[in-house]
Amino acid sequence: MAYDEVLARRIRQLLADQPGATERAMFGGLGFMVDGHLAVAAGSRGALMVRADETDGAHPLLAPMQMRGRTTSGWYETAPDAELTDEDLAELVEMGLRRVATLPPKG
């Protein structure tokens, strides 16, 4: 399954005025980066993937992300069929932006 293009368009609109925002196709999904750090992605299984700290990861729409049967540290995702309101999506994208803002600049 490819990423959800409607979800990708909604993310793109939220990041339109974000300095340093770029997007890149990766692993069948579409990643949205800020200054080279992946913040959120429209995942290949239809879910929204969010880079977040543990406090933000406790959000009721998020679950720890699993890759190859292992939980990925610092990454969370929605259910593939989650219906995200505009407010939900904006909140989750903001979580990803807050997390990457704490990371050192990429070289």
Side-chain angles (χ1 to χ4, degrees), residues 60-105:
L61 290 172
L62 296 177
M65 195 170 95
Q66 302 283 318
M67 266 189 142
R68 297 185 182 133
R70 297 171 68 181
T71 300
T72 57
S73 177
W75 281 97
Y76 300 86
E77 64 184 344
T78 64
D81 59 352
E83 292 189 30
L84 300 173
T85 65
D86 290 343
E87 184 178 285
D88 292 334
L89 183 59
E91 181 180 3
L92 296 172
V93 168
E94 181 59 35
M95 284 180 194
L97 294 176
R98 275 196 309 268
R99 179 64 183 109
V100 298
T102 69
L103 301 174

Side-chain angles (χ1 to χ4, degrees), residues 11-98:
I11 296 168
R12 191 177 294 119
Q13 289 170 341
L14 288 169
L15 296 176
D17 296 327
Q18 177 68 41
T22 58
E23 57 187 77
R24 180 179 300 164
M26 47 182 39
F27 310 112
L30 187 63
F32 292 87
M33 294 166 282
V34 176
D35 297 329
H37 292 288
L38 186 59
V40 297
S44 62
R45 297 177 293 197
L48 172 69
M49 298 166 39
V50 181
R51 190 174 205 167
D53 63 27
E54 287 183 23
T55 303
D56 282 341
H59 190 283
L61 290 172
L62 296 177
M65 195 170 95
Q66 302 283 318
M67 266 189 142
R68 297 185 182 133
R70 297 171 68 181
T71 300
T72 57
S73 177
W75 281 97
Y76 300 86
E77 64 184 344
T78 64
D81 59 352
E83 292 189 30
L84 300 173
T85 65
D86 290 343
E87 184 178 285
D88 292 334
L89 183 59
E91 181 180 3
L92 296 172
V93 168
E94 181 59 35
M95 284 180 194
L97 294 176
R98 275 196 309 268

